[in-house]
Amino acid sequence: MDSPHTDAHAAARMGWWRRRLRRNVERPLEELAGGPARLKVIALLACVLALDAADKATVGAVAAQIEAGLHVGNLQIGWLVTASTAVAALMTLPFGALVDRVPRVRLLAVALAVWSMTMLVSGAAASYPMLLLSRLALGVIAAVASPAVTSLTGDFFRPGERGRIFGYVLAGELVGVALGFLVCGNVAAWLSWRASFWVLAAFGIALALVLWRSLPEPARGGQSRIPVGARRVPSGDERGRDGTDAPAGSGALRQVIRWRGVRPRHALMSMNPASTSLWHAVRYVLAVPTYRTLVAASALGYFYFTGLRTFAIVYLRGRFDLGQTAASSLAVLLGLGAIVGVLLAGRLGDRLIDRGRLTGRVLVAATAYLTAAAAFLPALWLGSLWLAGPFFFLAAAGLGGANPAVDAARLDVMPSALWGRAEGVRATFRFTLEAVAPPLFGYVSARFAGDIGTAGASAVAARGRLAAHAGAAGLGDTFLAMLAPLALAGVLLLVRSRRTYARDVASALAAERRTRRG
């Protein structure tokens, strides 16, 4: 029986660890985010994206166990990822319309609860058809998360800092990929692939409860923005109490527009975005030239990222003669480059706007895409891991760094009443290309390798080192060929958006004022 002295010693030691955690982790993160309330919102939104990314990464991490347990091959594994992504592509537009109409936090919490229940079913699947059907239902979280997280970020934070904030939130996606590779992959090795899905289900249920109980719904139009240093997240009925009742387009963007005397596009002013139908909202969104360019560039960037994420470990193993554990760890380390990119690029775009460079975010995104394409060239050509590694890191930073700048720019050119539906349009194109990327990359790599059988991981194991090198060579050639659409994304932003961005920002500001008066 423990003595009172032992209990007191344990309590004192626990208190010491809490103080160290508070001093070394919590306080620095709060200072980075701008206060406890802002850190809370950023962390919760990042966790939503992390959970979806972890699920997709987990399928790849436990593919061998699923193949052995359900007696399927690589093609069937690929369909597990494509199925949920295809459903997300179909459902994201109607869910985007719902995001503009109903409380978003409640919608996210319900979607997470449904997703968690479906993950439990996935883990208990007794056959491949049952597992595939459950994966179809998992597309709901991606369909809800993308428009809801974008809309909430726009309402909680000022336009001038959205690039930096999106960088923090989007880092959750990359952390989720690492979680899927490392944590869920190890759970599958220790227990079973079913346990990996159940672990994610437990995370999903916990996150749904936290969202439902602790995150209030903000007022639309940026009237519940969280001031720096706030300790509590303001709710929708507290609008204006903290001096945050300015229109959504206030701040640096509005000042630059006024200084330059930019006029809006009157052709876009004939509709009230808050009350229009879904069909007219889609037409409005696609009528904004800058938004069309941002949608195309973002979809092309995610297309390359999805193909790279799917086959990166297979490529690294065959190209550099690495084992599974070493290749997985290396992929996670290179993923740190993407995290560095999202954290730095978003902040840089905000800083350029503060200095009067209205197209700063577009320039940062374009430069990031072009930098990634340029860095991948030597990375894929060099045969030494020590020489190729720094170029892979730089390429990952560029590929990830474009996203927060693009996401912040998309809110700049769209009135807040359309944020959910506009993100639904963008996500439809993104998820469509994401669904196409894995089979297309796999098919092209097989043609380059000269043997379809050398493209899959199980074929590599069966045919030995020669087949591994042939498969890696085919993948390397595929990654090089697919750099063309990645470079095109940067060129589109650099050439087209720079000419249209200012007028589309002015149009969004004008539409925002009209919505408030209407």
Side-chain angles (χ1 to χ4, degrees):
M1 186 174 183
D2 293 337
S3 66
H5 177 75
T6 303
D7 293 340
H9 179 74
R13 188 168 183 81
M14 182 63 68
W16 180 79
W17 278 109
R18 288 176 179 174
R19 289 191 297 273
R20 282 183 63 89
L21 181 66
R22 172 68 179 166
R23 182 175 65 253
N24 297 328
V25 179
E26 290 184 25
R27 285 181 181 173
L29 288 177
E30 288 176 359
E31 292 176 2
L32 194 66
R38 292 159 69 91
L39 177 61
K40 176 182 178 180
V41 172
I42 291 170
L44 288 175
L45 297 182
C47 284
V48 172
L49 298 183
L51 204 57
D52 179 54
D55 166 53
K56 295 174 181 176
T58 298
V59 173
V62 303
Q65 291 90 335
I66 294 177
E67 288 178 354
L70 299 181
H71 307 291
V72 296
N74 288 338
L75 179 61
Q76 287 78 11
I77 295 297
W79 279 114
L80 293 178
V81 177
T82 299
S84 60
T85 307
V87 170
L90 292 174
M91 297 302 298
T92 189
L93 188 54
F95 273 120
L98 198 60
V99 163
D100 285 336
R101 307 292 188 188
V102 304
R104 294 154 289 183
V105 176
R106 294 290 186 261
L107 181 63
L108 262 181
V110 171
L112 280 169
V114 173
W115 183 88
S116 300
M117 296 300 104
T118 308
M119 287 297 292
L120 292 176
V121 174
S122 296
S127 65
Y128 177 78
M130 183 178 176
L131 180 59
L132 182 61
L133 287 175
S134 67
R135 297 294 306 177
L136 290 173
L138 291 176
V140 65
I141 182 60
V144 175
S146 186
V149 168
T150 298
S151 180
L152 288 169
T153 303
D155 281 333
F156 275 128
F157 300 99
R158 295 183 296 106
E161 63 178 351
R162 284 182 192 145
R164 176 171 62 92
I165 299 301
F166 268 119
Y168 299 151
V169 173
L170 291 175
E173 282 188 311
L174 303 172
V175 172
V177 172
L179 175 69
F181 278 141
L182 296 180
V183 177
C184 295
N186 285 325
V187 168
W190 298 331
L191 301 174
S192 71
W193 63 268
R194 300 179 187 277
S196 297
F197 289 139
W198 292 336
V199 166
L200 291 179
F203 281 132
I205 293 172
L207 182 57
L209 290 174
V210 172
L211 283 172
W212 186 277
R213 298 183 61 180
S214 65
L215 186 63
E217 177 73 16
R220 297 183 186 271
Q223 298 178 78
S224 297
R225 293 198 189 113
I226 309 173
V228 174
R231 306 195 64 83
R232 186 173 58 86
V233 181
S235 61
D237 58 358
E238 296 177 293
R239 63 186 70 187
R241 294 184 184 179
D242 300 311
T244 58
D245 55 343
S250 60
L253 288 173
R254 171 167 295 201
Q255 293 174 6
V256 176
I257 288 292
R258 287 178 175 175
W259 172 58
R260 293 190 176 185
V262 180
R263 296 184 177 276
R265 301 178 190 273
H266 293 287
L268 300 178
M269 297 298 103
S270 59
M271 180 195 74
N272 186 338
S275 59
T276 190
S277 66
L278 176 59
W279 170 244
H280 285 92
V282 172
R283 291 182 60 188
Y284 182 101
V285 168
L286 294 178
V288 179
T290 301
Y291 203 86
R292 293 199 302 267
T293 304
L294 292 171
V295 165
S298 175
L300 291 172
Y302 272 103
F303 169 77
Y304 194 88
F305 173 75
T306 302
L308 187 68
R309 179 184 62 192
T310 304
F311 296 104
I313 293 179
V314 176
Y315 172 79
L316 291 173
R317 290 191 64 181
R319 176 67 169 169
F320 301 110
D321 290 325
L322 301 177
Q324 179 69 25
T325 301
S328 299
S329 301
L330 179 60
V332 172
L333 288 175
L334 294 178
L336 292 177
I339 295 179
V340 170
V342 299
L343 295 180
L344 294 182
R347 184 184 296 270
L348 178 59
D350 292 346
R351 187 167 298 177
L352 289 175
I353 290 178
D354 288 338
R355 294 180 178 179
R357 192 67 178 266
L358 185 62
T359 58
R361 285 170 178 158
V362 176
L363 289 173
V364 168
T367 302
Y369 279 135
L370 294 174
T371 299
F376 270 123
L377 288 173
L380 294 169
W381 277 334
L382 292 170
S384 169
L385 179 59
W386 293 106
L387 294 177
F391 289 103
F392 275 124
F393 189 90
L394 179 61
L399 196 57
N403 293 327
V406 168
D407 286 351
R410 287 188 291 104
L411 295 188
D412 293 343
V413 299
M414 199 60 55
S416 62
L418 279 178
W419 281 345
R421 284 163 285 181
E423 174 61 15
V425 172
R426 198 273 307 192
T428 298
F429 286 95
R430 168 195 162 178
F431 291 139
T432 299
L433 289 189
E434 281 192 357
V436 170
L440 182 59
F441 272 65
Y443 174 77
V444 173
S445 66
R447 296 301 297 258
F448 276 129
D451 182 359
I452 293 179
T454 63
S458 60
V460 168
R463 297 171 182 243
R465 180 171 297 183
L466 183 61
H469 282 295
L475 284 172
D477 292 339
T478 302
F479 292 149
L480 285 171
M482 295 299 180
L483 286 177
L486 183 62
L488 177 61
V491 172
L492 283 175
L493 291 174
L494 198 62
V495 174
R496 291 181 58 86
S497 293
R498 291 181 63 190
R499 297 199 302 262
T500 61
Y501 190 77
R503 291 197 67 186
D504 289 338
V505 171
S507 300
L509 296 177
E512 193 74 39
R513 290 192 295 268
R514 176 179 178 144
T515 302
R516 288 173 176 273
R517 291 196 302 265

